[in-house]
Amino acid sequence: MPVGPQPSGPRPQRPRRSCLAVPGSSAKMLAKAQGLPADQVFLDLEDSVAPLAKPDARKNVVAALNDGDWSGKTRVVRVNDWTTPWTYRDVVEVVEGAGQHLDAVMLPKVQSADQVVALDLLLTQIERSLGLVGASIGIEAQIENARGLVAVDAVAAASPRLETVVFGPADFMASINMKSLVVGEQPPGYDVGDAYHYILMRILMAARTYDLQAIDGPYLQIRDVEGFRRVAGRSAALGFDGKWVLHPGQIEAANEVFSPRQQDYEHAEAILEAYEHATSEAGGMRGAVMLGEEMIDEASRKMALVVAAKGRAAGLTRPPPAGPPE
Ligand code: GLV
Ligand code: MG
């Protein structure tokens, strides 16, 4: 039987507009998170859990996955990174204990493709030993330092289990010595652009090259929802699929910012409809036509497909056609 990462077919495209961080050490927050409207929850065993609390946090996370009601949510556990003494035990305890109730494992501070391959192999072993045939738990790779960003193309290609590449801005800022402690906001003294643009684009290109989702990290000023919207709006505008949320107050904003606006959704559906007609025999088999004041062609169809798919996934619908005037 092959031991290396095996292709398992295309990964499911799970909803991830809002990815809620839930400390695994807090039974109260693990219970509360189940009732919140986040697309994804990630139960954390890493930086929101103190070293001495990690063994108990693993148990809490297993119990919450098995006994909780997470219906409609993407369920992820963030383990500790491979430079710590905790990673293998995190993965073994959580996947052996609750693998059937888990969609993906998030690996933080990824620095090389090997680290993703190591997690893939460990997951494969556990799935085989449990007889979880075809269960195929996914992987989320968090890019949080210069080394990880430089390796991001190889990281994104490292395993067929990969579903997302995630930006970790707080650790990243520390890693490159950025002169600021305010995550997501521009460092004072930098007034010629967006200090995060290169990093976000590098992550987005790697993710899109391998058909993965690109997820933006946290905004720590949890009471400043307008600030959250502003920063989330930037990564959403570039094409990111979602962003972490640390507080219930950020969830609605994330779900909104990472969904198309109703008018854009309707416009996308109108382009698809008009272009399908134009290219058909009945429509004259034309590849470039006018839709109102706008020239549309095959590239317009591709852009419209993305917006329409995101809108449909977010539950948007077109208004019914207006009836004849009274
Ligand atoms: C998240 O893990 C971050 O470091 O921003
Ligand atoms: Mg981090």
Side-chain angles (χ1 to χ4, degrees):
M1 199 179 272
V3 291
Q6 299 300 306
S8 55
R11 302 292 313 176
Q13 287 283 313
R14 306 181 204 276
R16 286 186 167 99
R17 293 169 305 174
S18 48
C19 305
L20 177 67
V22 191
S25 48
S26 168
K28 193 171 139 208
M29 289 192 202
L30 287 165
K32 181 166 182 200
Q34 296 169 39
L36 296 173
D39 283 351
Q40 167 174 313
V41 286
F42 75 86
L43 314 187
D44 193 22
L45 296 175
E46 204 221 14
D47 283 356
S48 68
V49 177
L52 292 177
K54 291 196 194 274
D56 279 349
R58 292 185 190 122
K59 292 186 177 49
N60 293 343
V61 163
V62 168
L65 286 170
N66 286 336
D67 305 334
D69 177 4
W70 303 99
S71 33
K73 292 185 174 49
T74 300
R75 303 153 303 174
V76 176
V77 171
R78 179 167 73 163
V79 298
N80 289 278
D81 82 90
W82 280 121
T83 66
T84 70
W86 301 302
T87 321
Y88 80 100
R89 220 179 264 283
D90 291 343
V91 178
V92 172
E93 265 195 47
V94 168
V95 179
E96 284 195 348
Q100 271 142 323
H101 303 289
L102 184 62
D103 297 310
V105 170
M106 188 189 302
L107 186 62
K109 301 180 180 66
V110 174
Q111 305 194 42
S112 65
D114 296 0
Q115 295 190 333
V116 175
V117 173
L119 177 58
D120 183 313
L121 292 175
L122 185 51
L123 288 170
T124 302
Q125 280 259 297
I126 303 170
E127 284 171 358
R128 280 183 188 161
S129 102
L130 294 178
L132 291 177
V133 184
S136 188
I137 291 167
I139 296 178
E140 302 201 350
Q142 229 194 325
I143 300 296
E144 306 200 74
N145 51 42
R147 208 179 269 265
L149 191 67
V150 167
V152 70
D153 297 338
V155 166
S159 161
R161 292 181 187 269
L162 276 162
E163 296 189 6
T164 69
V165 186
V166 184
F167 178 37
D171 275 301
F172 200 95
M173 289 164 72
S175 136
I176 63 169
N177 296 359
M178 193 182 266
K179 269 174 82 181
S180 169
L181 285 171
V182 187
V183 170
E185 298 294 356
Q186 303 304 315
Y190 190 74
D191 57 5
V192 290
D194 178 358
Y196 303 96
H197 182 76
Y198 169 75
I199 310 165
L200 291 171
M201 279 308 244
R202 193 90 159 71
I203 287 175
L204 184 61
M205 291 309 118
R208 291 292 178 259
T209 301
Y210 297 100
D211 291 332
L212 309 179
Q213 290 177 321
I215 305 297
D216 193 7
Y219 184 75
L220 307 188
Q221 314 306 115
I222 56 172
R223 292 188 209 296
D224 182 1
V225 178
E226 277 321 299
F228 175 89
R229 262 179 204 282
R230 186 164 28 81
V231 172
R234 291 187 196 132
S235 53
L238 290 178
F240 272 64
D241 299 286
K243 182 169 175 67
W244 282 16
V245 291
L246 303 181
H247 186 267
Q250 296 178 330
I251 297 176
E252 200 185 308
N255 288 346
E256 194 186 308
V257 171
F258 288 94
S259 303
R261 293 177 310 166
Q262 177 71 25
Q263 71 211 66
D264 295 335
Y265 167 70
E266 286 179 29
H267 185 50
E269 294 284 14
I271 291 176
L272 293 178
E273 197 173 88
Y275 198 66
E276 192 181 336
H277 176 71
T279 50
S280 72
E281 230 173 313
M285 295 178 284
R286 290 167 302 155
V289 286
M290 292 302 285
L291 174 65
E293 295 299 305
E294 170 189 29
M295 168 79 73
I296 59 169
D297 68 1
E298 176 57 27
S300 321
R301 189 186 71 89
K302 290 202 179 85
M303 289 192 293
L305 272 177
V306 173
V307 176
K310 284 198 177 196
R312 289 176 206 163
L316 300 186
T317 53
R318 297 175 88 180
E326 306 267 301

